[in-house]
Amino acid sequence: SQQGEEDPQALSIQEGENATMNCSYKTSINNLQWYRQNSGRGLVHLILIRSNEREKHSGRLRVTLDTSKKSSSLLITASRAADTASYFCATEKAGANSKLTFGKGITLSVRP
Amino acid sequence: EAGVTQSPTHLIKTRGQQVTLRCSPISGHTSVYWYQQALGLGLQFLLWYDEGEERNRGNFPPRFSGRQFPNYSSELNVNALELEDSALYLCASNRGPTGGNQPQHFGDGTRLSIL
């Protein structure tokens, strides 16, 4: 079963605009991670936020985590056509079982 | 450093056949994870190996199995293939449970098509 659920399922924006994607999950977690997948390829790790962290930045990416609401958001600022991809949130549940549980993903299209 | 490598990249099989997929982790990584990405079902966790042992298993039938070798590379075996096994099989690696909070690094996957 899916732990995370992303919202929206699809997003289409103009180059230069910001893209915000949301993820909700159900259980206690060690960390939450965001990944990007270009069509038919493997996943690329974007950012990991631990359960005791509230916000994290990496370049044009900003991730927030609200453990009380069991939700996270990924913000991509000043989007580029190359950001077009599917984005997944994944959670590592509390306890050291290390497996990731993924949401179904968000398809982001950035129009040039 | 070289990333996670998987072979083959594509595979076509027929129902009832058996298949073996291979994965080489990043140097220094002891844990290997296998995921299935089937159309409409998202990414589903299959298996986790660390230091040669199976550590966790997803909700898949026993015809999905695997192993990890002393050099930390891994194989995923699927017996008695069914049409629904058509999917992208992804392998990932990291430094394992002693490494604390860390990402998993993915290969580009093996696309398996069952006819």
Side-chain angles (χ1 to χ4, degrees):
Chain A
S1 63
Q2 300 292 346
Q3 156 85 315
E5 292 190 8
E6 294 98 341
D7 164 52
Q9 291 186 335
L11 185 59
S12 180
I13 59 174
Q14 201 74 32
E15 206 166 26
E17 292 180 337
N18 295 340
T20 299
M21 291 168 267
N22 302 301
C23 169
S24 61
Y25 58 93
K26 297 175 183 174
T27 65
S28 296
I29 61 172
N30 284 336
N31 62 68
L32 185 144
Q33 305 178 33
W34 285 91
Y35 288 83
R36 184 187 76 226
Q37 184 179 36
N38 291 89
S39 180
R41 302 293 300 276
L43 276 70
V44 174
H45 178 258
L46 296 176
I47 201 160
L48 181 153
I49 186 163
R50 301 182 184 193
S51 60
N52 61 354
E53 297 176 314
R54 292 297 167 257
E55 188 170 312
K56 208 162 182 182
H57 297 255
S58 177
R60 294 183 296 113
L61 306 180
R62 173 178 168 256
V63 167
T64 62
L65 179 64
D66 186 335
T67 52
S68 67
K69 295 181 179 178
K70 291 188 169 57
S71 68
S72 173
S73 68
L74 170 67
L75 169 67
I76 304 175
T77 60
S79 64
R80 305 166 181 168
D83 295 328
T84 295
S86 293
Y87 291 81
F88 294 87
C89 73
T91 52
E92 182 180 309
K93 290 183 185 179
N97 65 6
S98 285
K99 72 171 189 177
L100 292 178
T101 305
F102 285 84
K104 291 193 173 181
I106 298 169
T107 301
L108 173 66
S109 298
V110 181
R111 304 185 301 273
Chain B
E1 69 182 2
V4 175
T5 58
Q6 292 186 244
S7 64
T9 54
H10 293 85
L11 208 48
I12 299 174
K13 292 285 188 178
T14 56
R15 281 188 341 183
Q17 286 189 310
Q18 177 266 344
V19 69
T20 298
L21 310 181
R22 295 178 175 82
C23 173
S24 292
I26 290 171
S27 177
H29 287 185
T30 63
S31 274
V32 170
Y33 308 82
W34 287 95
Y35 294 87
Q36 182 196 66
Q37 188 176 28
L39 206 59
L41 292 178
L43 278 143
Q44 304 285 336
F45 168 75
L46 265 165
L47 289 160
W48 168 33
Y49 292 95
D50 183 67
E51 298 284 2
E53 301 286 332
E54 182 180 301
R55 303 293 185 177
N56 202 349
R57 182 181 179 85
N59 188 25
F60 281 84
R63 58 191 186 84
F64 287 84
S65 65
R67 55 180 173 168
Q68 186 178 34
F69 298 99
N71 67 353
Y72 303 114
S73 67
S74 177
E75 285 182 352
L76 174 68
N77 299 293
V78 188
N79 294 321
L81 286 165
E82 300 179 3
L83 293 175
E84 67 218 39
D85 297 333
S86 293
L88 180 67
Y89 289 84
L90 291 164
C91 171
S93 73
N94 64 16
R95 296 188 188 279
T98 59
N101 288 280
Q102 56 182 308
Q104 294 180 12
H105 300 270
F106 283 79
D108 278 339
T110 294
R111 174 75 59 188
L112 176 62
S113 299
I114 311 301
L115 303 180

